[in-house]
Amino acid sequence: MKKIAAIVLFLAVSVCMLQAQGLSWNVRFVRGQSQESVPIVQAIRMETGDTFQITISSEADAFCYVLCYDSQRQLAVLNNDFQMRASQERLFGPMMINDPPGTETIYIIMSSDRQTQLEERIRSFNSQPDSRSFHNNLVREIQSLQNSVSRLGEPASVYIPSGGTTRGNTQAFVTRFSGRNLYVRAITIRH
């Protein structure tokens, strides 16, 4: 009986430790025809007409929200299928950098839990994308989420080889995040 209790206790502690570790997910940013992998830990320099794509994967079931805030202060929702299964990859792009020059920001929000307030703001925005009110509400919700996670400091991230190759036999790299249950990662593109 003591062995069974010890096994149950061990399993319960193991499950709690796994949950406490937080979400582990990867993002890969590649640009141009050469599919060059680029780290997302600093601003990415691109030219008008350049293309890029982003691949996101998670090691556990999660919720993924991807939005773009462009140089004209316009917002675009890049995906409306928020639920993401473990080991599933999501590809966004190829997308092209357009005029006018400025700063584009891609927001990737990854969460272990559904972000119902954010989803409601996205649905309202999608129903009337020209509504300034819905636009501003969605921007404020992104900022609110970003502020809530930024109090904890920069999330752990590592730029690692992904084990694959792209055209030209160049090693592909991903940036891995782990340790939290909510991330708001901004990718800045300057052109």
Side-chain angles (χ1 to χ4, degrees):
M1 188 63 145
K2 288 183 180 181
K3 285 184 181 182
I4 292 174
I7 291 171
V8 168
L9 179 62
F10 174 76
L11 290 174
V13 168
S14 297
V15 168
C16 288
M17 288 179 63
L18 285 173
Q19 289 178 346
Q21 289 177 353
L23 184 62
S24 183
W25 64 284
N26 302 320
V27 60
R28 184 177 56 184
F29 186 100
V30 294
R31 68 176 169 195
Q33 298 294 335
S34 64
Q35 299 284 295
E36 171 192 11
S37 291
V38 179
I40 62 168
V41 294
Q42 56 189 329
I44 299 167
R45 187 84 178 125
M46 297 182 74
E47 301 295 326
T48 300
D50 287 350
T51 60
F52 68 93
Q53 63 186 25
I54 298 170
T55 306
I56 300 170
S57 63
S58 176
E59 292 182 7
D61 290 353
F63 294 88
C64 176
Y65 310 89
V66 182
L67 303 101
C68 177
Y69 194 69
D70 69 17
S71 59
Q72 294 180 308
R73 297 184 180 187
Q74 296 300 311
L75 193 60
V77 178
L78 301 182
N79 76 314
N80 287 303
D81 181 16
F82 309 126
Q83 204 162 12
M84 189 170 182
R85 298 285 174 219
S87 302
Q88 177 186 15
E89 275 193 352
R90 293 259 174 97
L91 175 66
F92 300 92
M95 294 177 262
M96 183 179 288
I97 300 295
N98 296 314
D99 281 332
T103 300
E104 316 270 331
T105 305
I106 308 288
Y107 290 97
I108 302 172
I109 301 166
M110 290 292 292
S111 176
S112 297
D113 302 314
R114 172 170 255 129
Q115 298 299 310
T116 54
Q117 182 86 11
L118 177 62
E119 288 182 19
E120 180 56 37
R121 300 280 191 242
I122 289 171
R123 276 192 284 285
S124 296
F125 175 78
N126 283 341
S127 71
Q128 294 181 26
D130 294 329
S131 166
R132 235 28 223 163
S133 174
F134 290 154
H135 174 275
N136 292 340
N137 288 342
L138 182 51
V139 168
R140 279 192 293 274
E141 182 63 25
I142 294 167
Q143 290 170 340
S144 173
L145 288 170
Q146 194 170 29
N147 288 339
S148 73
V149 298
S150 69
R151 289 185 307 236
L152 302 173
E154 182 67 20
S157 65
V158 178
Y159 190 56
I160 59 171
S162 67
T165 58
T166 59
R167 285 184 252 166
N169 285 333
T170 314
Q171 182 70 44
F173 290 89
V174 298
T175 304
R176 175 169 292 156
F177 295 89
S178 62
R180 291 194 187 161
N181 291 321
L182 174 64
Y183 294 85
V184 179
R185 184 63 196 172
I187 300 174
T188 305
I189 302 168
R190 293 199 175 110
H191 64 101

